[in-house]
Amino acid sequence: MTGSIEQGVSRIHGSTHILHFLVRLPRPMETVWPALATADGLAAWFTPADVLEPRLGGAVTLRDVGSGRVTAWDVERIAEYTVEGGGRLRFHLERAGDEGSALRFTHEFRGERESEERWRARFERLIENLSRR
């Protein structure tokens, strides 16, 4: 299985932007989870996590994004980070066959700092990094 990024969906509700992506990943959930839920994993494809307490309510600081809290945490399934200035980032993993995973990603934020193109480039790095494992 190879990875793929389905067309992102962008909506605006008032001053809140909401981006959704479905990313098909070439590795099982157990292999993908550390890329979404550990400081080293996030640094490899997204941004360094200077602080990441892996539990509901834990502190998180994503460099160049912001500091905040872990607002949802279900080991090997859901990691959600809500950071001041960066909004809410939700990573929801699902099984996709015997060897793959599907990542349902949502980013809610205010302002114009993020774009579908930037997230697409990040997910391409994620797929590339996972393909090497």
Side-chain angles (χ1 to χ4, degrees), residues 32-39 41-42 52 54 73 79 81:
V32 176
W33 177 251
L36 309 174
T38 67
L42 288 167
L52 178 54
W73 192 263
Y81 311 115

PDB file of all heavy atoms in Angstrom, residues 32-39 41-42 52 54 73 79 81:
ATOM      1  N   VAL A  32       2.092   4.226  13.055  1.00  0.00           N
ATOM      2  CA  VAL A  32       1.779   5.632  12.774  1.00  0.00           C
ATOM      3  C   VAL A  32       1.644   6.446  14.059  1.00  0.00           C
ATOM      4  O   VAL A  32       2.074   7.602  14.124  1.00  0.00           O
ATOM      5  CB  VAL A  32       0.488   5.749  11.933  1.00  0.00           C
ATOM      6  CG1 VAL A  32       0.103   7.210  11.726  1.00  0.00           C
ATOM      7  CG2 VAL A  32       0.658   5.036  10.593  1.00  0.00           C
ATOM      8  N   TRP A  33       1.070   5.856  15.096  1.00  0.00           N
ATOM      9  CA  TRP A  33       0.781   6.577  16.339  1.00  0.00           C
ATOM     10  C   TRP A  33       1.960   7.396  16.863  1.00  0.00           C
ATOM     11  O   TRP A  33       1.789   8.570  17.196  1.00  0.00           O
ATOM     12  CB  TRP A  33       0.267   5.605  17.400  1.00  0.00           C
ATOM     13  CG  TRP A  33       0.024   6.243  18.724  1.00  0.00           C
ATOM     14  CD1 TRP A  33       0.756   6.079  19.858  1.00  0.00           C
ATOM     15  CD2 TRP A  33      -1.017   7.167  19.056  1.00  0.00           C
ATOM     16  NE1 TRP A  33       0.234   6.842  20.881  1.00  0.00           N
ATOM     17  CE2 TRP A  33      -0.855   7.524  20.409  1.00  0.00           C
ATOM     18  CE3 TRP A  33      -2.067   7.748  18.338  1.00  0.00           C
ATOM     19  CZ2 TRP A  33      -1.703   8.413  21.063  1.00  0.00           C
ATOM     20  CZ3 TRP A  33      -2.914   8.644  18.994  1.00  0.00           C
ATOM     21  CH2 TRP A  33      -2.722   8.960  20.340  1.00  0.00           C
ATOM     22  N   PRO A  34       3.175   6.862  16.961  1.00  0.00           N
ATOM     23  CA  PRO A  34       4.288   7.668  17.480  1.00  0.00           C
ATOM     24  C   PRO A  34       4.574   8.918  16.650  1.00  0.00           C
ATOM     25  O   PRO A  34       5.064   9.919  17.183  1.00  0.00           O
ATOM     26  CB  PRO A  34       5.482   6.708  17.441  1.00  0.00           C
ATOM     27  CG  PRO A  34       4.881   5.342  17.494  1.00  0.00           C
ATOM     28  CD  PRO A  34       3.598   5.468  16.726  1.00  0.00           C
ATOM     29  N   ALA A  35       4.258   8.911  15.362  1.00  0.00           N
ATOM     30  CA  ALA A  35       4.476  10.092  14.516  1.00  0.00           C
ATOM     31  C   ALA A  35       3.516  11.215  14.860  1.00  0.00           C
ATOM     32  O   ALA A  35       3.788  12.387  14.571  1.00  0.00           O
ATOM     33  CB  ALA A  35       4.329   9.718  13.044  1.00  0.00           C
ATOM     34  N   LEU A  36       2.409  10.893  15.521  1.00  0.00           N
ATOM     35  CA  LEU A  36       1.388  11.885  15.860  1.00  0.00           C
ATOM     36  C   LEU A  36       1.381  12.250  17.338  1.00  0.00           C
ATOM     37  O   LEU A  36       0.827  13.280  17.709  1.00  0.00           O
ATOM     38  CB  LEU A  36      -0.002  11.338  15.501  1.00  0.00           C
ATOM     39  CG  LEU A  36      -0.178  10.800  14.093  1.00  0.00           C
ATOM     40  CD1 LEU A  36      -1.553  10.169  13.946  1.00  0.00           C
ATOM     41  CD2 LEU A  36       0.054  11.896  13.063  1.00  0.00           C
ATOM     42  N   ALA A  37       2.004  11.397  18.160  1.00  0.00           N
ATOM     43  CA  ALA A  37       1.809  11.519  19.599  1.00  0.00           C
ATOM     44  C   ALA A  37       3.097  11.535  20.411  1.00  0.00           C
ATOM     45  O   ALA A  37       3.059  11.361  21.626  1.00  0.00           O
ATOM     46  CB  ALA A  37       0.905  10.379  20.078  1.00  0.00           C
ATOM     47  N   THR A  38       4.243  11.729  19.743  1.00  0.00           N
ATOM     48  CA  THR A  38       5.507  11.867  20.470  1.00  0.00           C
ATOM     49  C   THR A  38       6.250  13.080  19.926  1.00  0.00           C
ATOM     50  O   THR A  38       6.071  13.482  18.771  1.00  0.00           O
ATOM     51  CB  THR A  38       6.412  10.624  20.315  1.00  0.00           C
ATOM     52  OG1 THR A  38       6.851  10.520  18.955  1.00  0.00           O
ATOM     53  CG2 THR A  38       5.703   9.345  20.747  1.00  0.00           C
ATOM     54  N   ALA A  39       7.100  13.638  20.754  1.00  0.00           N
ATOM     55  CA  ALA A  39       7.878  14.815  20.339  1.00  0.00           C
ATOM     56  C   ALA A  39       8.767  14.485  19.136  1.00  0.00           C
ATOM     57  O   ALA A  39       8.806  15.255  18.159  1.00  0.00           O
ATOM     58  CB  ALA A  39       8.718  15.326  21.506  1.00  0.00           C
ATOM     59  N   GLY A  41       8.366  12.074  16.940  1.00  0.00           N
ATOM     60  CA  GLY A  41       7.526  11.784  15.789  1.00  0.00           C
ATOM     61  C   GLY A  41       7.010  13.039  15.115  1.00  0.00           C
ATOM     62  O   GLY A  41       7.077  13.180  13.885  1.00  0.00           O
ATOM     63  N   LEU A  42       6.507  13.981  15.891  1.00  0.00           N
ATOM     64  CA  LEU A  42       5.995  15.235  15.324  1.00  0.00           C
ATOM     65  C   LEU A  42       7.110  16.042  14.669  1.00  0.00           C
ATOM     66  O   LEU A  42       6.914  16.651  13.613  1.00  0.00           O
ATOM     67  CB  LEU A  42       5.295  16.065  16.405  1.00  0.00           C
ATOM     68  CG  LEU A  42       3.949  15.526  16.878  1.00  0.00           C
ATOM     69  CD1 LEU A  42       3.517  16.233  18.161  1.00  0.00           C
ATOM     70  CD2 LEU A  42       2.891  15.676  15.790  1.00  0.00           C
ATOM     71  N   LEU A  52       5.525  17.945  25.481  1.00  0.00           N
ATOM     72  CA  LEU A  52       4.396  17.090  25.121  1.00  0.00           C
ATOM     73  C   LEU A  52       4.183  16.077  26.231  1.00  0.00           C
ATOM     74  O   LEU A  52       4.950  15.135  26.390  1.00  0.00           O
ATOM     75  CB  LEU A  52       4.624  16.369  23.791  1.00  0.00           C
ATOM     76  CG  LEU A  52       3.507  15.413  23.350  1.00  0.00           C
ATOM     77  CD1 LEU A  52       2.143  16.104  23.331  1.00  0.00           C
ATOM     78  CD2 LEU A  52       3.826  14.816  21.996  1.00  0.00           C
ATOM     79  N   PRO A  54       1.956  13.255  27.222  1.00  0.00           N
ATOM     80  CA  PRO A  54       1.033  12.389  26.492  1.00  0.00           C
ATOM     81  C   PRO A  54      -0.127  11.858  27.338  1.00  0.00           C
ATOM     82  O   PRO A  54      -0.179  10.679  27.699  1.00  0.00           O
ATOM     83  CB  PRO A  54       1.941  11.259  26.004  1.00  0.00           C
ATOM     84  CG  PRO A  54       3.018  11.179  27.035  1.00  0.00           C
ATOM     85  CD  PRO A  54       3.225  12.590  27.504  1.00  0.00           C
ATOM     86  N   TRP A  73      -7.308  12.417  24.052  1.00  0.00           N
ATOM     87  CA  TRP A  73      -6.213  11.440  24.034  1.00  0.00           C
ATOM     88  C   TRP A  73      -6.800  10.046  24.191  1.00  0.00           C
ATOM     89  O   TRP A  73      -7.386   9.713  25.223  1.00  0.00           O
ATOM     90  CB  TRP A  73      -5.240  11.726  25.179  1.00  0.00           C
ATOM     91  CG  TRP A  73      -3.966  10.959  25.072  1.00  0.00           C
ATOM     92  CD1 TRP A  73      -3.659   9.781  25.708  1.00  0.00           C
ATOM     93  CD2 TRP A  73      -2.831  11.297  24.291  1.00  0.00           C
ATOM     94  NE1 TRP A  73      -2.396   9.376  25.355  1.00  0.00           N
ATOM     95  CE2 TRP A  73      -1.855  10.300  24.487  1.00  0.00           C
ATOM     96  CE3 TRP A  73      -2.529  12.353  23.436  1.00  0.00           C
ATOM     97  CZ2 TRP A  73      -0.618  10.318  23.872  1.00  0.00           C
ATOM     98  CZ3 TRP A  73      -1.300  12.388  22.816  1.00  0.00           C
ATOM     99  CH2 TRP A  73      -0.352  11.382  23.033  1.00  0.00           C
ATOM    100  N   ALA A  79      -5.250  11.878  19.047  1.00  0.00           N
ATOM    101  CA  ALA A  79      -4.421  12.879  19.731  1.00  0.00           C
ATOM    102  C   ALA A  79      -4.932  14.235  19.258  1.00  0.00           C
ATOM    103  O   ALA A  79      -5.010  14.495  18.057  1.00  0.00           O
ATOM    104  CB  ALA A  79      -2.948  12.716  19.382  1.00  0.00           C
ATOM    105  N   TYR A  81      -4.565  18.443  20.069  1.00  0.00           N
ATOM    106  CA  TYR A  81      -3.822  19.497  20.745  1.00  0.00           C
ATOM    107  C   TYR A  81      -4.524  20.819  20.475  1.00  0.00           C
ATOM    108  O   TYR A  81      -4.798  21.162  19.325  1.00  0.00           O
ATOM    109  CB  TYR A  81      -2.385  19.559  20.221  1.00  0.00           C
ATOM    110  CG  TYR A  81      -1.698  18.215  20.181  1.00  0.00           C
ATOM    111  CD1 TYR A  81      -1.311  17.640  18.969  1.00  0.00           C
ATOM    112  CD2 TYR A  81      -1.462  17.502  21.351  1.00  0.00           C
ATOM    113  CE1 TYR A  81      -0.691  16.403  18.935  1.00  0.00           C
ATOM    114  CE2 TYR A  81      -0.849  16.268  21.316  1.00  0.00           C
ATOM    115  CZ  TYR A  81      -0.462  15.716  20.103  1.00  0.00           C
ATOM    116  OH  TYR A  81       0.148  14.488  20.067  1.00  0.00           O
TER     117      TYR A  81
END
